Structure formats: structure tokens, C-alpha cells
Amino acid sequence: MGRKFPPIIWIARNTYARMLKAHGKVKLDNACGVNLDDGPFLYLLNHVGIMDPVMVSAVAPHHIRWVAGAYLFKSKFLNLVIGKWCTAIPKQQGKSDVSMVRNVQKALKAGDNVGLFPEGTRTWDGEMVPFDYKPLAKLIRLYKVKVIFAHIEGGYAYQPRWADEKRKGKVTISLKHLLTPEQIGAMDIDTLKNTVEEYLHFSNDEWKESVDYSYVSPRRAEGLQRLMYMCPKCRGIDTMRTSGNRITCSKCGTMAVLTEKDDLTSVDIPFTKLSQWHNWEAEEIGKLDGLPEEPGVLLQKGDFNNEGDLDVLSEHISVRIEAGVMIVKCNDGDKKEYRLPISEVSSLILNAKQTIELFCGEDLYR
């Protein structure tokens, strides 16, 4: 059920997707035994990498209209490719988006299959990015269609978000659970919320203990400084450096090795999991009154509804945080400073290419 494959998707399925499957890089595991000809379906998945929609679409027997970050549609070229040709649906990240809700509902009513990554952004450490499950449960009740909960197993290990390169290994798209409209209608909203949270949950730390975790790379730690930015020993910020399978503090010399199972071994560092280190440094950063100045490239501004083109405010900026205020200094033109109180920031998302997009009051800044 659903629309035929758009031409660009048909070409990709018969070229790149065939190559992925032929080389055993990605496969489908219909663990819940759902009849995939009996749609439409709403797919809900964990989000590990930019290739997630490609991987899933490569093994799915039908076309899936993916919900994608609205920032991608700002590019005329990407809007043409993913919007018109691939029929993706834009979603403003980090805040509610009524137009997305309506567009998804319209697509499902037309018999199209829709894919959604509820976390709204890719994981950095292999664990689910926290979000509020109740609005998702309300959406599921609103749509009244069959919902497939799928896990992208091995996707994070294949190419972590922080990594410089892919590793050798396999990715499995595992269809874990199916909820029917009848089952959804029989649950109160809290029961549905808890069910959604249980069915969607995926942890790379938990999963890798139950499988033959084999993702090979001689440079497996390179890029890890993007995630591990604070030294656990000297508390240095942005002092971690990587080479091969090692991460080392340039300030105090503390060193850890990233093993073939993506665990940490070290004499000085008390963590064995990337998620442990990540959670610790996030807490430590939260205790600081401010952060030192960092260079930036471009500052843009748009409206609250993210409509139209973004205005360029500066092409040479620096950013610092003082006393709960993000201060963006324009180092060209009139040297203007923009002071954005953290308490007024309603959403903040790190998008592709290290782009930060946030809403402060009624304004969008990127």
C-alpha cells in the first residue's frame, strides 16, 4: 500500500541499495512478523546517523516518506532532492510543528508510509536522546494507523556521529514491535506513553553485550574529542586529542584506549562507557558560570515559523557564555553583540556540519 517509488528512489534502490544488501552491509529482520503489505505504517526508530533513512529504505519493500529537519529544506538543492523528489516531510526541530503534524496525517490518510525519528537528532554516545514521550503518544492516537517500532542495530557502531570515518561492519533494521489502531485505542494516554517508551528504547551499550560486536577500524577513536571534550582528571575543556584507538589530554597527559567493543580502558579515567563520560561532562559543564570564547563562521536570523530565507547578520563571529547569557559578537561590520538569555531559549539543536540552531523569544538564530 502507498505510493509507488519516486524515480530517484527507484534508481537508488536498484543501484546503491542493491550494493549495500549484496555486500551484507544492511539487512532487514522482521522480528515481529508484521505483514509489510498491509499498510500504511508509521515507522518509529532510534536515530544514529545521517544514513538512517537510506539504510531503512534500502531494505523496506515499500516507499517511506521520511520526516526530516526543516533546516535541510532551506537549501534550494536539498529542498528539490529530499522534498520534491524523495517526498520527505519537513519538521522544525526542538519545538512543536503543527504543519508537520498535518502533513504526516495527510500522507497516512493517502496510504503513504511515514518514517519518524522521535529523538529529533542523532545520538552522540549510542544511547537514546531524552525527549518527552507523551506528545508522541498523542500523535500516535491521532493518526490511528499501524505503528512499527524498529531498531537500527549496529548503525552507531558502523559510524558514530563523532567519528571521522566509517568502520567495517553490518547494520540490521530490526522490526521489533507492532501496535494496531485497536490496541492503541484500548490504552489510556499514560499506558500508551509507557508502551511507546518501552518499545522504542534502544541502547548501544546494552545491545553490544548480546551480539558479536565486530566493527573494525584502525582509527576507531579518531574524532572522539568531539564527544569527550572535558578531561576527567584535570577538568581541561577542549584539551582531548585522538589518534588511532587512543584519546589523550594535551594538558595533563591522561590517556584512554577505545577497545574493539567501543569500551574505554584507562589507568586514570574512571569510566568504561562512552555514555558515562558523556553524562559526567554534561553535568560538569552545567555547573560552570560561563564558557570561554570560541570562534565561529556565520550568524543568521529568521522568524519563529522558520519561513523564508535567513538573513545573514555576520560572517565572522565569536561566541561565549557569561552568567546565563549567550553572547554572540560580530567581528565584522558594525561589531554588534547579540545577547541571548539562556532562560529565553525555547529550543537548541546541533544540526549537520556543527551548525547550532536555536529559538530565542520570537527569533530563530543559526
Side-chain angles (χ1 to χ4, degrees), residues 126-146:
E127 306 306 293
M128 294 283 290
V129 178
F131 70 95
D132 187 355
Y133 285 84
K134 182 164 280 189
L136 177 59
K138 292 179 179 179
L139 280 182
I140 290 173
R141 173 163 287 179
L142 172 68
Y143 292 148
K144 299 177 181 178
V145 297
K146 297 174 183 178

Side-chain angles (χ1 to χ4, degrees), residues 231-290:
C231 176
K233 187 174 182 180
C234 71
R235 301 299 199 272
I237 298 177
D238 196 26
T239 59
M240 306 307 296
R241 304 291 182 264
T242 55
S243 178
N245 65 349
R246 298 186 178 192
I247 181 167
T248 306
C249 177
S250 61
K251 183 178 180 181
C252 70
T254 293
M255 187 270 290
V257 173
L258 188 65
T259 71
E260 291 184 356
K261 292 199 71 171
D262 284 332
D263 290 326
L264 295 163
T265 60
S266 174
V267 174
D268 301 314
I269 295 176
F271 311 116
T272 59
K273 306 291 184 185
L274 297 181
S275 58
Q276 295 171 342
W277 191 340
H278 188 206
N279 291 337
W280 168 82
E281 64 187 0
E283 292 179 2
E284 292 298 309
I285 288 290
K287 298 174 184 176
L288 301 178
D289 291 330

